[in-house]
Amino acid sequence: IEAKDGNVNEIEKLDGFLDYYGCLMVFADYKHVSNLDNLNEFLEEWGIRFTQNTYLVDYEHSTTTDGITIRAQYAEEGLASSIYSDIINLDTKPTTLSRYCMPIEILWDENEDNKGNRKVWSVLDSYDSAKSMRNGEEVASGSESIMTLSREDRIINNQHYYSYVLACGSPSYTMGYAQSKAYSNNNILYSVMRATGRERIITDVTWK
């Protein structure tokens, strides 16, 4: 599918927005992301690739008997761990939930720079007991990234300026679970917004 309508190119607009130190968040559905060719190519430039038509099942770390609503584990190294350090340092870590989580492949080594000094880290992972399913069949097993954060670092007049791309393989992460105080979905998103936004104060986000 082309992301161009007349004289408007949506990918160029996203690219221009990120050039001015913006932050993009993408919550993708495993059933439909394969239709977004231009967006997928754009995200690969930020070091990530959605594993299309694939979702995770984890019977050991699920709140439902079908294993589809899974609990994520926090990344305890890299940039992401510093963003929500107040959460992972708790004696009892709160739960994050998502349904039909699509794995995200990190294309670069954690310490590898791409053009423009871009790096990518995992934010949330599935547990080792997770299985990757495609067309009703298991195609892989083990821990997978289900949320990632890419960052581009520019140095201008000896000052660091950052652009960010957050990717999540489940739209359900923000739908319902982020509104419940029983889970930490909203805390993770707020922590990312505080870390990536240029405003020092973040107000509550009204659910629509």
Side-chain angles (χ1 to χ4, degrees), residues 35-48:
N35 297 325
L36 306 175
D37 294 336
N38 299 85
L39 179 61
N40 290 326
E41 291 178 5
F42 177 74
L43 293 177
E44 288 185 10
E45 296 179 2
W46 287 84
I48 59 170

Side-chain angles (χ1 to χ4, degrees), residues 2-207:
E2 293 295 328
K4 186 174 182 179
D5 180 15
N7 295 322
V8 178
N9 188 304
E10 295 174 355
I11 299 301
E12 287 183 0
K13 283 185 171 292
L14 289 177
D15 205 23
F17 172 71
L18 292 171
D19 280 344
Y20 283 93
Y21 325 119
C23 176
L24 171 67
M25 293 186 177
V26 180
F27 295 85
D29 189 320
Y30 82 99
K31 291 182 179 179
H32 305 297
V33 70
S34 59
N35 297 325
L36 306 175
D37 294 336
N38 299 85
L39 179 61
N40 290 326
E41 291 178 5
F42 177 74
L43 293 177
E44 288 185 10
E45 296 179 2
W46 287 84
I48 59 170
R49 179 188 296 132
F50 287 116
T51 307
Q52 301 172 6
N53 303 312
T54 304
Y55 63 91
L56 296 172
V57 171
D58 187 349
Y59 295 104
E60 294 183 27
H61 301 92
S62 177
T63 59
T64 54
T65 56
D66 56 13
I68 292 173
T69 305
I70 67 171
R71 301 197 304 269
Q73 58 179 341
Y74 301 99
E76 298 192 2
E77 296 180 355
L79 177 65
S81 64
S82 65
I83 288 176
Y84 50 64
S85 59
D86 57 331
I87 297 176
I88 63 176
N89 288 331
L90 295 173
D91 292 334
T92 302
K93 298 179 180 61
T95 298
T96 63
L97 288 182
S98 298
R99 285 181 58 81
Y100 287 106
C101 294
M102 176 172 45
I104 304 175
E105 180 184 358
I106 294 179
L107 303 179
W108 310 328
D109 182 85
E110 183 174 309
N111 296 315
E112 177 184 353
D113 286 356
N114 198 280
K115 64 177 183 178
N117 295 319
R118 292 178 181 174
K119 291 185 178 182
V120 58
W121 296 267
S122 185
V123 177
L124 295 174
D125 301 317
S126 65
Y127 286 86
D128 289 334
S129 51
K131 298 178 181 179
S132 298
M133 307 296 293
R134 185 181 303 143
N135 298 325
E137 297 183 358
E138 180 181 339
V139 295
S141 62
S143 179
E144 300 280 357
S145 293
I146 57 179
M147 182 182 287
T148 60
L149 183 65
S150 304
R151 184 181 72 183
E152 182 176 64
D153 181 7
R154 293 193 186 96
I155 301 177
I156 302 174
N157 296 327
N158 296 320
Q159 294 288 326
H160 287 268
Y161 294 88
Y162 300 109
S163 302
Y164 297 90
V165 173
L166 177 83
C168 180
S170 174
S172 73
Y173 188 88
T174 62
M175 297 169 64
Y177 300 123
Q179 304 306 305
S180 174
K181 294 182 179 180
Y183 309 116
S184 62
N185 293 41
N186 61 337
N187 299 96
I188 296 295
L189 290 178
Y190 285 173
S191 295
V192 171
M193 289 177 183
R194 291 188 183 99
T196 61
R198 285 177 286 177
E199 296 294 334
R200 293 300 182 186
I201 300 175
I202 181 169
T203 58
D204 196 11
V205 178
T206 302
W207 178 254

